[in-house]
Every structure is written in C-alpha cells, then in structure tokens.
Amino acid sequence: MPRPNPAVSFLAKTQMRAGTLVLYTDQPDSRADLLHALAQIAPCTVLSASEPPPPDPCVGVIIDFDLLPSPLTGLRNLIAANPGLPRVFLMRSMGQRSLSVARNLGGRLCLPMDTPIATVVEALQTQLRPAEAQTPSRPVTGSPVVVQAAGRASAAIANLLDSARDHGTVDAAVIDATLEPILGAIGTGGLKAWLETVRAYDDATYQHCLLVAGLAATFAIDLGFSTADREHLVRAALVHDVGKAKIPLSILNKPGPLDPGERAVMREHAALGHEILVKAGGFDETVLTVVRHHHEMLDGSGYPDRLKGEAIRDIVRLITVCDVYAALVERRPYRAPMPSAKAMEILYGMEGKLDIDLVRAFERSVASS
C-alpha cells in the first residue's frame, strides 16, 4: 500500500484561494511535486526571476533560486507592487550575503532548499491564514513554528552583524523582535527541532549564535525563569558574539585551527562587541557584561579581563556553558556535530573553569527537552 504524501494530506484540509501563487524558480523540471502541492492552494504560475509577474491578483510568492547572481527584476517589481505579499524563500545558501538579499526583499521566512514540501506549504498557509484564525498547536520537528522563528532570528543576526561591520553600531529593537518567537519555538517545538533546523545554516557565526540562543532559551525555561528573565537571557545569547563582525573573515571562517596570532585577533571579539553595544545604546548592563565576559573562566584563565570566581556573574556563567556546548555540537563543513554525551563529558572536564552546578543543571535541561 503506498504511503500517504504528507503535503497532500495537509492540503486536503485547506480551501482553494482566489488569486494566483507565483513560484519563482530556476529548476522548474525538478519542482513538479512542489508545484502540484501549491496548485491545491491556488492556481500557480512558474516564472524565472527576471520575468514580469502575471496580471492576475497575486496571493503569495515562493522564491526558489540562488539570490546572488540572479537578475531579480520581475521579483522586485512584484514585491514593490504588493509590499504585504506573503513570501517564502527556499535558500540555496544560509550564508550572510544570501540572507542579506532575502532580507532586503522582505524575506522573514527563509528555509533551506531541501525543506520538506509539507513544511513549505504549511509555512505559506500560516502566512496566508488570517491572524484571528491562527491557533497554537504542538509542532513536529522541522515545523514552520521552528523554521520561521529561526529564519527571523537569522535575519536579525545578519542585520546585527551587517550594521556592526558597516556602521559600528546596531539596533536593539531588531533583536528584541525575535525573543518571543524563539522562546515560543523552543517551548512548543523543543530543542531537538531547533538544533536540527539551525544546523542547516552554513554560516558558522549565524549557526553558533542561533544554537546558543536556543540552548539559553531551553535552559531558562527548564530553570523556571520568568518571561522577562527568559527574554533577557536569550537577548544576551543572540548578541554575545556581535564583536565577530569586526574580525577579518579570513580568520573568522578559517576551516582549520588558528595560529597564535590569529587566536589573539579572534579573542578581541569580546571587547569589540562590548564597545559596539555601548556605542549603540539600548542594551542594559547585564547584556553588556555577557558580551564582554562570556569567555572568562572561574580560574582566571579567560579573557579579556581575566576575571576570577565571584567576579563572574551568574548570567555570564549560564551563557558560557551554553556557548561552550554549542561550539562542540555545531555542524562544520570539515566535521560532524559532536554527540551530546561527548560534549557534556568535555564540559564536566572543565571543572574549575565552568560552574559545575550549572553544568549539571544544563545537562538535565538538555536531556529533558
């Protein structure tokens, strides 16, 4: 007996919409299944990026091509004429430049190109559905609740790093807009779904910041923090590495170990990040402390200020545990993610440097999620 197609099963519950969907794609021959699924929502027109939009009213657009070398004339005209148009980007790359282009095109939902069709369709339907008709539900791994929150947070991080690199300052409001979606995604979708989604990002800095934010959210929820304290911790996690915007890309993206000189340059990111946020304003002293001190160790061996013991605040200790764990379990082109058990073994081996009581609590929160 053939297995049911999850996209078709989902679409069986939807109603046909008046208007036209537009699928901008550079691989129409291999997108027949996606086109069939979209056609259950509304008639679907397939175009290349440079072709003009159809004359019929458009209800939504799916962008499925490499954004960097493509002529975007037709797509830009469609978006300019319909600024509130629901749109889903299927990204060839989750790197900084591609996400920056998507963001400039109003892309709030950027999914990896191999996202399951059912997830793409449901994500589009979520945007098409009137706000009053949207009800929260328990999502599964890879669901739109998780991928949409990750997409919004990734775009915010791209904005943060672009602004820090280009102007030496950032907008705190851009980060604050992502806090509730991240906590909601972790609270309903769980850490596993977050990790699997975030590991699809090929930019190391984006992936790392999103991992630390998800881990911080998980930890805060498990510890019973108030909503305000949860948001405070996630805010600090998202911006903790903003100083990396000022590190040369040749060092930041080096695939192998750094030499002593490169390590010294990399270590400057904590103080640089603190300086950027002080200049920007809008970040309280606690977040500033996390950004400057998340590499300090209890034995005084950290940087930049070689703080020791009680001089390191509890929120810094929390983020440092999340930061070290994230660095171990993230995916890299040259290595697979480290298993959680092995990463926890390394954290326990850092007794004297990390707060081991917090490491134990962190292990419980990761395991229970």
Side-chain angles (χ1 to χ4, degrees):
M1 187 178 208
R3 297 174 63 184
N5 185 317
V8 173
S9 299
F10 174 79
L11 287 164
K13 305 172 186 176
T14 69
Q15 294 182 337
M16 194 74 170
R17 294 178 179 273
T20 301
L21 286 171
V22 175
L23 171 62
Y24 279 107
T25 183
D26 58 2
Q27 48 181 15
D29 294 341
S30 63
R31 284 304 198 182
D33 288 347
L34 176 59
L35 182 61
H36 173 72
L38 294 173
Q40 311 307 307
I41 301 174
C44 191
T45 300
V46 181
L47 300 172
S48 68
S50 60
E51 289 185 275
D56 298 329
C58 183
V59 296
V61 60
I62 301 87
I63 298 94
D64 173 49
F65 53 77
D66 188 345
L67 295 172
L68 295 181
S70 301
L72 305 176
T73 310
L75 174 59
R76 290 189 188 279
N77 289 340
L78 176 60
I79 290 174
N82 303 272
L85 190 68
R87 64 205 74 170
V88 177
F89 285 77
L90 300 179
M91 306 293 290
R92 296 295 188 273
S93 166
M94 288 292 194
Q96 174 184 321
R97 293 178 60 210
S98 293
L99 285 169
S100 180
V101 173
R103 186 174 66 253
N104 290 334
L105 293 168
R108 293 186 176 181
L109 184 51
C110 300
L111 311 178
M113 64 175 293
D114 57 355
T115 298
I117 290 174
T119 300
V120 175
V121 170
E122 189 176 354
L124 180 62
Q125 286 281 28
T126 298
Q127 294 191 66
L128 292 170
R129 192 180 306 139
E132 62 273 13
Q134 297 185 25
T135 55
S137 60
R138 176 78 182 182
V140 297
T141 298
S143 76
V145 173
V146 176
V147 294
Q148 188 164 6
R152 288 184 63 179
S154 177
I157 291 170
N159 182 296
L160 182 83
L161 296 176
D162 287 350
S163 295
R165 184 179 297 110
D166 297 339
H167 311 297
T169 188
V170 297
D171 183 359
V174 172
I175 293 297
D176 288 348
T178 70
L179 303 179
E180 185 177 343
I182 291 173
L183 285 161
I186 294 294
T188 57
L191 179 62
K192 181 180 178 182
W194 183 264
L195 295 180
E196 290 179 354
T197 300
V198 169
R199 283 178 178 141
Y201 289 72
D202 62 2
D203 185 284
T205 304
Y206 291 13
Q207 182 187 160
H208 179 73
C209 290
L210 292 171
L211 283 173
V212 175
L215 292 166
T218 301
F219 206 0
I221 292 170
D222 189 67
L223 291 173
F225 282 14
S226 68
T227 299
D229 286 343
R230 292 176 186 182
E231 291 185 351
H232 212 127
L233 194 67
V234 174
R235 182 185 295 110
L238 282 170
V239 302
H240 79 285
D241 268 348
V242 64
K244 287 183 177 178
K246 294 297 186 180
I247 302 300
L249 292 178
S250 59
I251 295 177
L252 192 62
N253 296 331
K254 185 176 179 179
L258 302 179
D259 64 35
E262 292 167 335
R263 282 198 300 273
V265 172
M266 180 67 85
R267 287 187 170 201
E268 294 175 2
H269 80 272
L272 288 170
H274 180 264
E275 180 182 321
I276 289 167
L277 296 192
V278 168
K279 178 181 177 182
F283 295 94
D284 63 34
E285 187 59 34
T286 302
V287 172
L288 296 176
T289 298
V290 168
V291 171
R292 184 173 182 89
H293 293 145
H294 64 278
H295 284 290
E296 302 286 2
M297 296 291 155
L298 295 179
D299 62 0
S301 63
Y303 62 88
D305 299 319
R306 301 187 68 83
L307 298 184
K308 191 172 183 178
E310 295 303 316
I312 303 174
R313 295 175 58 176
D314 287 344
I315 188 172
V316 176
R317 299 182 189 201
L318 283 165
I319 293 294
T320 299
V321 170
C322 296
D323 186 41
V324 174
Y325 181 87
L328 296 171
V329 303
E330 58 200 29
R331 178 185 58 80
R332 287 286 182 265
Y334 51 88
R335 67 166 173 83
M338 183 180 292
S340 179
K342 177 63 176 176
M344 289 307 310
E345 182 182 325
I346 291 174
L347 262 62
Y348 278 114
M350 295 179 69
E351 185 168 6
K353 295 180 178 291
L354 301 178
D355 187 322
I356 293 302
D357 288 337
L358 285 179
V359 171
R360 293 191 186 97
F362 177 78
E363 182 180 31
R364 289 193 299 270
S365 74
V366 171
S368 65
S369 64

